[in-house]
Amino acid sequence: MTDDRDLRELLDRLSAKAGGDRYDPYPAFAWPPALPGDEYWFSPELLSVHGTEYADELSDERLCVLSRWESVNFYSLHVHGIRELLIEVMRRVHTPGFELPSAFLHHFVGEENRHMWSFATFCLRYGGRIYPDTKPRPPSAGQDPALENFLVLARILLFEQIVGHYTVRLAADTRLHPAIRQLNRIHHQDESRHIAFGVRLLRLLWERLAESGLDEEGRRATGRQLTEYLRATMASFYSPAAYRDAGLADGSGLRKRLLDHPARQAAHAQVLHRTTGFLHRIGVPVTV
């Protein structure tokens, strides 16, 4: 990656901010012995049943139980997503083409490692499990390393933008236990830097791809891959295992019905609005 003045200035600002916000997660979190079972662990408006007749059929008590297991699913998704992004970022640190952002990527890796530990601790301490990763592996871009870099880093940014939609709301929801709000508040504090970096870097990488001769078919193929990634990521919020643990019957069938529900499709569009808007502005044709 050749020098880019705007990117360099952004990286200098973000690195300085990361240094000022550094914290040790092990003593930073005051984990309570247990979380109240009769309170929401996840904002009810963010539950996968919200806005549907399935939510109307559940008592407030049952919705609280569902919120417990959907919160465990949410943080399990973080554990798996962060593991994958750490692997991909570490493959690129201090390699040709990544000379400029590598210093900031050290901050990025350290912060994401702390996040993964925090989310795994929440799942194991309060849920007794981390749900397995069921999201399909994305295909390889082939032999073009520039396109592969773009797709890998795009998936990282898109994941962070999607979960950021939830994190901001969870951090501000006074119905939730202070420990849950703190977990999400600290995560958002770091993620806001990662998203700012990712947006600038993705725009630059896409410009370089266009300059190198990416044709219309390549552009459409890239859009299709990211469209599928966005759909798979949204679908991962609908967990048959979480429904089972919450005592809901036919978890797989419920998942399918919810994914097809107009209210949930409208909710997906709201979650993805920022992400799809960014991709359209830089010229990536996603169709979610």
Side-chain angles (χ1 to χ4, degrees), residues 24 92 101 112 134 145 176 201 203 206 211 245 266:
D24 184 343
R92 290 164 172 81
E112 291 294 353
T134 59
L176 306 181
L201 181 61
R203 185 184 297 274
W206 187 249
E211 293 168 359
D245 288 336

Side-chain angles (χ1 to χ4, degrees), residues 168-225:
V168 169
R169 287 154 180 78
L170 294 168
D173 191 342
T174 57
R175 294 168 295 183
L176 306 181
H177 191 280
I180 296 174
R181 298 177 64 198
Q182 180 194 29
L183 178 65
N184 286 279
R185 184 175 60 253
I186 292 178
H187 183 221
H188 174 66
Q189 175 180 290
D190 293 340
E191 288 303 305
S192 61
R193 290 190 296 273
H194 300 179
I195 290 172
F197 162 68
V199 164
R200 184 65 190 90
L201 181 61
L202 258 291
R203 185 184 297 274
L204 179 62
L205 291 178
W206 187 249
E207 291 171 354
R208 300 279 164 80
L209 281 170
E211 293 168 359
S212 68
L214 182 69
D215 60 16
E216 183 61 23
E217 176 52 36
R219 195 173 71 91
R220 288 197 299 267
T222 302
R224 287 193 296 270
Q225 288 199 44

Side-chain angles (χ1 to χ4, degrees), residues 11-66:
L11 290 170
D12 288 344
R13 292 196 302 272
L14 295 178
S15 294
K17 188 71 166 59
D21 288 344
R22 187 177 294 115
Y23 63 94
D24 184 343
Y26 305 102
F29 289 101
W31 301 104
L35 293 175
D38 58 350
E39 295 180 5
Y40 283 105
W41 293 17
F42 208 65
S43 301
E45 297 81 9
L46 299 179
L47 293 175
S48 66
V49 297
H50 180 69
T52 73
E53 61 273 21
Y54 305 104
D56 296 337
E57 294 168 359
L58 298 175
S59 66
D60 190 64
E61 179 181 2
R62 294 293 299 280
L63 285 171
C64 284
V65 173
L66 178 60

